[in-house]
Amino acid sequence: MNPDTTALPLADEKHLPMPRIALSMTINGARYDIETASTATLLDVIRDQLGLTGTKKGCDMGGCGACTVLVEGRRIASCLALAASFSDAVLTTIEGIGTADRLHPLQAAFIRHDALQCGYCTPGQILSGIALLSENPRSFEEIREGMSGNLCRCGAYPGIVAAIAEVAGL
Amino acid sequence: MSGPSFRYIRAARLDDALSQGARQGATYLAGGADLLPLWKAGLAAPTEVIDISRLPLSQVSYAGDALAVGALARLSDVSAHPVVKRHHPMIAEAILASASGQVRNLATIGGNLLQRTRCTYFRTDGLACNKRDPGSGCGARRGESRHAALFGGSVGCVATHASDLAVALAALDAEISCRGLTGERRLALQDLYPLPGATTAPDTSLADGEMITAVHIDGAARFAAQSTYLKVRDRASFEFAVVSVAAALRIERGVIAEARLAAGGVAPLPWRLGRSEAALIGRAPTGEAFALAGELAVEGATPLAGNAFKVPLLHNAVIRALQTVGEGS
């Protein structure tokens, strides 16, 4: 049901064109004023409409954490978030975390600890890890529990936990 | 993956929301953690989504041993709230056991209590389910019944309620405030959840457009030092309960003066274990007393082929939870 290719409106209520809404968001310090489908998830707006494809779509059901973004510093699963509900929100995606020249300390730690293989889950792992660090985890066990919303099919968990622990000073 | 179209309306005031929410085809959106997956899977098809997330119903207050939590408070804010951690640590424990950080930051207290069952037959379009499609039958009774109820089920539905929070709240005699177009009412949390009938299984006793506005716990902080939430699940984290137990004791001069026990994952609602509670009163907190409570907890269970293992599991979980609570008393 792509709103841009919807045929002419029909009388049947079920085939009304997708209602559209206007919303503003600040992402990585830049302001976006957009119009989107009322049904769009935050994930789909970020990826498909704004082209910030560092945020990944995995399960699209809130289970895998690949779509993790920060809203005012707190991590959420953007696939479970209706974009319309986040108008005026201040977001951070992986594009707003470090650069190739100036890595975020957690990104650097991921490299040191070999905390990835295919890399698909890594943006979500990094954002989730940054949010977890702000919650001051006090043990490896708390890191494992705190990162349970991020799955890694390559099984890089030991490296991920070690990288977060290093930045946490554990 | 996406569902059918809907209109999005952000409610500016509670009164507006109540009239918008009462319209046919309308549904409330708070965090979206349950609604969006249901909508994507075709299990919810609202024509209007009324966003209530910005209504001022997210305060946590505590005065005179009465805790009030706004229905729109986020799970993560409630579990981290100093008043909750200090006076009702079991609630914080249940919330922290309930989902990942990413979900707890979205999900609200009211939404958590209203989350729909995780029963596979409900969540899979096309399978027989009286809850989703009244009159279609219950696939779980004769099918995959591993997660089915031990108590409170009917020939028409054996789905269990998935909320951890509700189990802890039930043990503490929580009540909820609800608002609808006709006014406000307050009821026991358990009364929110009707038992299923022969061909229908409504989730709640809420009227169309009625919403939960707050959760109340009065006078239960005396259990703070001796309470626990034990969750048994298929993996160590971010998984629904196979069985869970909320347990709280008040021990006076070496004797159990009060006991609270509720079980999750075993019924269509958080299941209070009244007979176990009664049997504990007046006894010393010993292994014998706890074993008796465990035995009474599973009395009257009606297991199916796939979930009989939950009978000894619940029995043992009750004992384990009581041992945890009784330690050091």
Side-chain angles (χ1 to χ4, degrees):
Chain A
M1 276 232 264
N2 185 331
D4 299 329
T5 58
T6 304
L8 287 173
L10 304 173
D12 180 350
E13 201 185 48
K14 282 185 180 163
H15 293 90
L16 284 173
M18 195 80 83
R20 295 180 75 77
I21 50 139
L23 63 126
S24 306
M25 281 186 279
T26 301
I27 306 180
N28 307 327
R31 186 185 160 102
Y32 296 86
D33 295 295
I34 59 165
E35 194 186 276
T36 190
S38 62
T39 54
T41 63
L42 189 57
L43 172 62
D44 288 342
V45 167
I46 288 170
R47 280 183 57 83
D48 301 342
Q49 206 163 345
L50 304 180
L52 296 168
T53 54
T55 304
K56 302 303 181 191
K57 182 184 275 194
C59 69
D60 206 22
M61 291 167 60
C64 76
C67 69
T68 302
V69 300
L70 306 183
V71 178
E72 269 121 47
R74 293 159 56 130
R75 53 189 164 157
I76 65 161
S78 63
C79 73
L80 294 182
L82 194 67
S85 199
F86 284 79
S87 193
D88 304 318
V90 178
L91 276 71
T92 305
T93 66
I94 191 66
E95 289 86 351
I97 304 288
T99 62
D101 302 332
R102 288 177 62 90
L103 293 173
H104 184 282
L106 187 57
Q107 289 173 317
F110 263 54
I111 294 170
R112 277 197 298 281
H113 289 277
D114 207 9
L116 64 151
Q117 283 185 48
C118 84
Y120 194 82
C121 72
T122 312
Q125 301 277 4
I126 294 283
L127 285 162
S128 192
I130 288 172
L132 177 62
L133 285 166
S134 73
E135 297 166 20
N136 299 316
R138 289 159 300 182
S139 66
F140 278 61
E141 187 46 44
E142 284 190 14
I143 293 172
R144 276 190 285 272
E145 168 64 31
M147 291 298 290
S148 65
N150 292 81
L151 303 184
C152 171
R153 289 295 300 271
C154 302
Y157 298 110
I160 293 167
V161 173
I164 296 170
E166 185 198 303
V167 178
L170 294 172
Chain B
M1 213 170 18
S2 99
S5 178
F6 54 74
R7 252 179 99 206
Y8 170 84
I9 298 166
R10 183 180 301 141
R13 297 165 51 242
L14 178 57
D15 286 348
D16 296 341
L18 294 174
S19 51
Q20 289 155 348
R23 294 198 289 247
Q24 197 180 3
T27 193
Y28 292 124
L29 169 79
D34 196 33
L35 179 61
L36 263 73
L38 289 168
W39 170 75
K40 289 177 187 184
L43 303 174
T47 53
E48 290 185 300
V49 166
I50 315 300
D51 182 353
I52 57 172
S53 63
R54 299 192 194 190
L55 296 180
L57 293 172
S58 56
Q59 306 86 337
V60 176
S61 67
Y62 185 80
D65 199 9
L67 176 75
V69 180
L72 292 172
R74 307 278 171 175
L75 292 185
S76 48
D77 291 330
V78 176
S79 61
H81 198 287
V83 152
V84 174
K85 282 163 67 172
R86 179 165 171 209
H87 299 291
H88 295 293
M90 187 164 66
I91 293 176
E93 277 178 55
I95 289 174
L96 290 174
S98 69
S100 68
Q102 287 97 320
V103 174
R104 294 197 301 265
N105 280 333
L106 281 170
T108 63
I109 295 295
N112 180 277
L113 298 179
L114 295 175
Q115 69 180 291
R116 307 205 69 187
T117 182
R118 299 286 148 184
C119 178
T120 309
Y121 293 85
F122 170 77
R123 296 262 165 181
T124 311
D125 203 11
L127 297 183
C129 173
N130 285 322
K131 194 181 270 297
R132 174 167 38 73
D133 183 12
S136 65
C138 172
R141 279 200 76 89
R142 276 173 292 123
E144 171 52 53
S145 55
R146 187 167 186 271
H147 290 278
L150 295 177
F151 307 100
S154 71
V155 293
C157 183
V158 288
T160 54
H161 199 266
S163 167
D164 294 299
L165 171 66
V167 179
L169 290 177
L172 296 169
D173 279 342
E175 296 186 332
I176 54 171
S177 294
C178 302
R179 275 286 293 275
L181 282 176
T182 54
E184 180 160 318
R185 64 183 174 127
R186 188 161 156 162
L187 61 155
L189 175 65
Q190 262 99 331
D191 293 339
L192 175 65
Y193 306 112
L195 292 175
T199 58
T200 59
D203 283 2
T204 75
S205 58
L206 294 180
D208 284 345
E210 198 175 21
M211 73 165 81
I212 301 174
T213 53
V215 173
H216 308 273
I217 299 175
D218 290 347
R222 62 187 180 279
F223 295 112
Q226 289 189 299
S227 62
T228 195
Y229 185 73
L230 171 65
K231 182 171 180 177
V232 183
R233 44 190 157 174
D234 289 339
R235 55 178 178 180
S237 184
F238 198 18
E239 183 59 274
F240 294 98
V242 178
V243 162
S244 70
V245 174
L249 295 175
R250 188 170 63 80
I251 297 168
E252 256 180 28
R253 289 185 286 277
V255 170
I256 298 170
E258 280 185 283
R260 301 285 184 86
L261 284 167
V266 297
L269 72 168
W271 198 251
R272 272 293 282 269
L273 302 169
R275 274 176 296 202
S276 302
E277 292 176 1
L280 287 167
I281 307 297
R283 289 175 188 269
T286 61
E288 258 172 69
F290 298 161
L292 175 63
E295 274 168 41
L296 292 170
V298 297
E299 234 180 41
T302 54
L304 300 165
N307 69 351
F309 75 98
K310 294 209 299 197
V311 175
L313 194 58
L314 174 62
H315 170 268
N316 294 346
V318 165
I319 294 172
R320 171 79 63 84
L322 287 170
Q323 285 170 341
T324 303
V325 171
E327 266 174 19
S329 58

